[in-house]
């Protein structure tokens, strides 16, 4: 079962995003001319979230995930990288790098499911995989590097299991 991840970042960003609504372009089919509506997508990749409705929303790389999602919870968030193969857009790599949502690796299944629904060929998993943790001692968020579960801010040991926010399990069709 997927999880709905709430935004864990700056309050002002969240309020702006809610006021503006989602800026991400829904990616609904492999034939869609996504590169024409998302500037820089082929050159530098893009920001993505998977909405609670199970749709991939894509925005320019430097966009905040929370803006892409309109401030709502997401099933997945990260980055997408593309190539143009014979004039067709191909998704070559995806990551779960989003410091706004800090999604765990299990969010892969929500992205994979959304891509299958859109008939888009998907890679086999996140590359690279980001492990987000919250420090129980100082409360700071960090990314675990090379399986070194130590807080870079206070040197306390970090938990082995994902613990960033009060994500909730959701039923999706
Ligand atoms: Zn700490």
């Amino acid at each position: 079962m997927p999880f709905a991840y709430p935004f864990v970042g700056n309050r002002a960003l969240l309020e702006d995003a809610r006021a503006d609504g989602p800026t991400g372009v829904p990616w609904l089919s492999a034939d869609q001319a996504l590169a024409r509506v998302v500037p820089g997508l082929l050159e530098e990749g893009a920001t993505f979230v998977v909405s609670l409705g199970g749709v991939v929303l894509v925005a320019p790389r430097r966009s905040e995930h929370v803006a892409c999602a309109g401030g709502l919870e997401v099933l997945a968030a990260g980055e997408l990288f593309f190539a143009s193969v014979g004039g067709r857009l191909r998704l070559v790599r995806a990551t779960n790098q989003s410091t706004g949502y800090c999604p765990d690796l299990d969010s892969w299944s929500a992205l994979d499911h959304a891509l299958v629904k859109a008939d888009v060929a998907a890679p086999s998993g996140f590359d690279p995989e980001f492990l987000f943790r919250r420090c129980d001692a100082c409360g700071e968020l960090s990314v675990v590097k090379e399986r070194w579960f130590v807080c870079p801010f206070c040197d306390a040991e970090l938990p082995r299991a994902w613990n960033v926010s009060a994500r909730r399990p959701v039923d999706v069709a």
Side-chain angles (χ1 to χ4, degrees):
M1 191 176 285
F3 290 99
Y5 288 91
F7 179 64
V8 295
N10 180 287
R11 186 99 222 145
L13 278 182
L14 179 63
E15 277 159 19
D16 285 352
R18 282 189 178 149
D20 294 346
T23 61
V25 176
W27 190 13
L28 300 172
S29 89
D31 297 333
Q32 198 172 328
L34 202 59
R36 230 175 279 159
V37 288
V38 181
L41 175 141
L42 266 172
E43 298 75 21
E44 55 182 14
T47 286
F48 86 91
V49 300
V50 176
S51 72
L52 290 184
V55 172
V56 185
L57 302 178
V58 183
R61 178 95 191 270
R62 282 168 235 299
S63 311
E64 296 283 349
H65 287 98
V66 69
C68 183
L72 300 174
E73 295 170 307
V74 300
L75 302 180
E79 308 159 300
L80 301 176
F81 298 94
F82 299 86
S84 178
V85 179
R88 286 176 61 91
L89 192 66
R90 201 175 130 217
L91 175 61
V92 292
R93 195 162 67 79
T95 79
N96 63 320
Q97 183 170 30
S98 165
T99 52
Y101 287 97
C102 301
D104 199 8
L105 302 180
D106 57 27
S107 61
W108 169 256
S109 61
L111 175 60
D112 189 46
H113 189 71
L115 291 172
V116 167
K117 255 198 317 192
D119 203 21
V120 171
S124 57
F126 291 126
D127 174 23
E129 297 178 327
F130 287 80
L131 300 179
F132 297 99
R133 293 292 184 273
R134 187 184 293 283
C135 176
D136 290 331
C138 74
E140 293 286 346
L141 287 172
S142 60
V143 176
V144 174
K145 300 218 168 71
E146 293 168 354
R147 313 211 50 90
W148 179 248
F149 288 84
V150 174
C151 175
F153 301 97
C154 77
D155 287 338
E157 193 173 341
L158 294 171
R160 292 299 192 270
W162 187 93
N163 70 336
V164 172
S165 67
R167 65 179 182 182
R168 60 185 179 91
V170 285
D171 257 322
V172 282

